[in-house]
Amino acid sequence: MNSPPVPPLPALQAEGLSKHFGGVAAVTSFSITLRKGEIVGLIGPNGAGKTTVFNLLTGVYRPDAGWARIAGRDIAGLTPDRIAALGVSRTFQNIRLFKLLSALDNVKVGFQPRLAESLSDALFRTAAFRREEERIEAEALELLDLLELSPWRDALAGSLPYGPERRLEIARALAARPKVLLLDEPAAGANDSESAALRRLLLSIRERFELSMLVIEHDMPFVMGLARRLVVLDGGETIAEGTPEEVRGNPKVIEAYLGEVSLREDGA
């Protein structure tokens, strides 16, 4: 008798993650399961704890309680570089580019978790080191082309318009070939047409790199058109989870957002 197929491990799983700062609970018992290739939106009003969740998942903060795993491997308590090497990349709400480096060099920095050469290879510029440099340059140029950034390849990152800056952060995050991509407000500052183009781009990236994505976003039409499942935080606690349609009509969600944003699909 054939054994039933073993279901794949979740790309990302967290259970009971909590973080306090002094007497203030920033996140309380946060749990999520993110399947391979799935895009989940993490939404909530300002101060809800969304970025704290990202900081817990990437090792910036150590959780006071709970655990997190990438493809079944425990990451809670690991340093950010160790977690990045296991396949987690992120962007930031406040763009963090190396503004005095070119766009191309910013993407090259993102390859750090994947570098194969040794210190001696780098010091003596061996043939292996030169081959690695050529591979990184070629892949970085491909990412710039994919994110429609080729015209700015040699421009200083600090001179880029706001939209290309956002896309450059995504390109740099993709350089590490992550299994899980955490995006912190990727559509911030975008107009309707720019948001629509970014949504199509992220869906294409998801397919091309077989990525799972967790996306923080305040642009409701954008995230509801991107993610098939939403998790809603308020005051550090999960108050709702479900499809965009289910979340849009949830009374707790409507109350949390009252006076801040509309949850109507048209954004009106």
Side-chain angles (χ1 to χ4, degrees):
M1 181 181 295
N2 293 330
S3 300
V6 178
L9 292 169
L12 167 68
Q13 191 172 17
E15 186 71 36
L17 284 181
S18 298
K19 184 65 181 178
H20 292 73
F21 297 101
V24 178
V27 171
T28 303
S29 196
F30 176 81
S31 300
I32 191 170
T33 297
L34 183 63
R35 295 180 290 273
K36 183 178 179 180
E38 186 179 23
I39 301 177
V40 173
L42 183 60
I43 69 173
N46 289 325
K50 304 181 296 296
T51 297
T52 300
V53 167
F54 271 25
N55 287 337
L56 290 169
L57 294 174
T58 55
V60 176
Y61 297 151
R62 295 178 69 93
D64 298 326
W67 52 263
R69 294 174 184 150
I70 293 294
R73 181 161 180 177
D74 192 7
I75 62 169
L78 294 184
T79 57
D81 61 311
R82 294 276 306 280
I83 293 174
L86 290 173
V88 182
S89 289
R90 71 174 294 183
T91 64
F92 294 86
Q93 180 180 3
N94 299 313
I95 298 173
R96 298 185 184 181
L97 296 172
F98 297 100
K99 294 187 179 295
L100 297 181
L101 294 181
S102 70
L104 177 59
D105 286 340
N106 266 272
V107 177
K108 287 182 178 180
V109 170
F111 285 86
Q112 186 63 37
R114 297 172 53 204
L115 292 182
E117 78 274 1
S118 66
L119 177 60
S120 61
D121 287 331
L123 287 174
F124 296 106
R125 298 189 63 81
T126 63
F129 176 80
R130 292 194 297 273
R131 286 195 299 271
E132 186 86 333
E133 278 196 320
E134 291 170 0
R135 177 186 65 82
I136 288 172
E137 173 123 356
E139 289 191 31
L141 289 171
E142 286 181 10
L143 287 171
L144 287 175
D145 184 57
L146 177 65
L147 274 296
E148 301 174 357
L149 293 166
S150 295
W152 289 282
R153 56 167 286 180
D154 296 317
L156 296 182
S159 70
L160 267 60
Y162 185 77
E165 275 192 324
R166 282 278 177 200
R167 297 201 305 276
L168 182 56
E169 257 209 328
I170 296 172
R172 186 176 64 185
L174 289 172
R177 289 294 188 268
K179 300 178 181 72
V180 176
L181 182 61
L182 309 180
L183 299 174
D184 198 340
E185 297 195 37
N191 59 36
D192 290 346
S193 63
E194 291 168 339
S195 292
L198 178 60
R199 183 169 58 245
R200 291 191 297 270
L201 180 60
L202 292 178
L203 289 170
S204 173
I205 287 170
R206 187 267 306 269
E207 295 298 326
R208 177 166 178 166
F209 296 105
E210 299 183 332
L211 276 173
S212 304
M213 298 184 190
L214 184 60
V215 183
I216 294 173
E217 190 53 66
H218 281 289
D219 184 331
M220 291 299 106
F222 173 82
V223 74
M224 288 183 173
L226 178 69
R228 293 188 177 180
R229 182 160 60 97
L230 301 177
V231 176
V232 189
L233 290 180
D234 186 32
E237 297 184 0
T238 301
I239 61 170
E241 181 175 354
T243 65
E245 292 74 20
E246 291 167 340
V247 165
R248 187 184 295 118
N250 187 298
K252 290 184 178 179
V253 178
I254 294 171
E255 182 180 359
Y257 272 102
L258 190 63
E260 181 171 332
V261 298
S262 169
L263 293 176
R264 284 177 55 189
E265 189 171 9
D266 60 8

